[in-house]
Amino acid sequence: MANKIGNYCAFYVTHVGSDSNLAAHGVKDFVYYNMLRAWKRNDSTFPFIDSHDKNYNVRDTSDWEKTLKPRLRDRINKSKNLIFFLSQDTKNSRAVREEINHAINVNGLPVIVVYTDYKEKSDIINCTSKTIKKKITDMWGQVPMFKNSKDAVPVLHIPYKKELIRAALSDPDFRYSTKTKPSDYFFPC
């Protein structure tokens, strides 16, 4: 088994098929992924290890079966968890389905879902009932592979906030080798 030390990030990119890096950098979820990388560059203590740096980069125009899918799988195989950026713009793309399926159903990776449209815990959690809000659970249906597979692993639901992402990445319950039992989790308000 590969050394599982990285954090694999799954996010929707609308400009698949473009050779232009500028097109990808303009996509909302790709920008959030790049922010994790910037936080790590600016603060070596930020606990993010980018699994996308674990093998050769590919262009979106590369062959899906021969190049893209094997590289995604290799990166996931070397990861300790899956960070899934979920927003109102996320679509059920072939790449997102493959990433989630391979991470959860093949590797059993814990998932940290980062809801990029929200900044506070109270945006995703009903603080009184201590439950995940319906507007959040409805978003799971945007990617049926996630909705139908998530119960097999521990899933931490957090808003897009640096301190909460840091806490999630530091939590041993959401790493492959020390993961907690499958269920939905969140930081209380």
Side-chain angles (χ1 to χ4, degrees):
M1 177 174 276
N3 189 4
K4 292 182 168 293
I5 60 169
N7 309 106
Y8 187 89
C9 294
F11 47 88
Y12 173 66
V13 178
T14 56
H15 292 85
V16 173
S18 171
D19 276 339
S20 169
N21 281 338
L22 292 175
H25 288 279
V27 176
K28 185 177 173 185
D29 290 348
F30 191 76
V31 171
Y32 292 117
Y33 159 67
N34 272 333
M35 186 55 69
L36 287 182
R37 296 168 66 196
W39 291 339
K40 180 64 175 186
R41 272 192 311 275
N42 294 330
D43 176 3
S44 64
T45 67
F46 189 73
F48 176 63
I49 300 170
D50 189 1
S51 289
H52 291 272
D53 287 342
K54 301 298 179 199
N55 62 21
Y56 297 104
N57 288 329
V58 295
R59 293 183 179 271
D60 288 339
T61 56
S62 298
D63 182 85
W64 173 254
E65 290 297 327
K66 292 180 183 173
T67 306
L68 286 171
K69 189 161 77 170
R71 295 269 167 85
L72 295 176
R73 287 180 172 184
D74 182 56
R75 292 170 183 171
I76 291 167
N77 292 343
K78 295 175 181 174
S79 299
K80 61 184 169 187
N81 55 30
L82 171 70
I83 301 168
F84 178 35
F85 290 102
L86 185 56
S87 72
Q88 297 296 332
D89 298 327
T90 303
K91 303 282 188 266
N92 189 32
S93 70
R94 173 172 58 176
V96 169
R97 285 191 309 272
E98 175 62 28
E99 290 167 323
I100 290 171
N101 180 57
H102 198 72
I104 295 175
N105 297 319
V106 175
N107 280 271
L109 296 183
V111 179
I112 299 167
V113 184
V114 179
Y115 297 94
T116 59
D117 297 320
Y118 303 103
K119 305 296 181 228
E120 301 300 328
K121 292 182 272 188
S122 59
D123 292 335
I124 64 170
I125 305 303
N126 181 318
C127 298
T128 304
S129 67
K130 297 181 174 47
T131 57
I132 299 172
K133 290 183 175 182
K134 184 178 183 321
K135 68 181 179 183
I136 299 301
T137 61
D138 287 348
M139 289 176 69
W140 302 345
Q142 292 172 216
V143 183
M145 180 63 71
F146 172 69
K147 182 179 180 180
N148 297 332
S149 301
K150 67 179 220 41
D151 291 340
V153 296
V155 180
L156 179 60
H157 304 271
I158 61 173
Y160 183 78
K161 192 170 200 171
K162 183 179 180 180
E163 305 86 58
L164 295 177
I165 294 171
R166 177 188 293 274
L169 293 173
S170 299
D171 192 327
D173 286 345
F174 300 96
R175 296 181 194 150
Y176 176 78
S177 62
T178 56
K179 66 185 173 188
T180 190
K181 67 179 181 158
S183 191
D184 290 305
Y185 297 90
F186 50 85
F187 295 123
C189 312

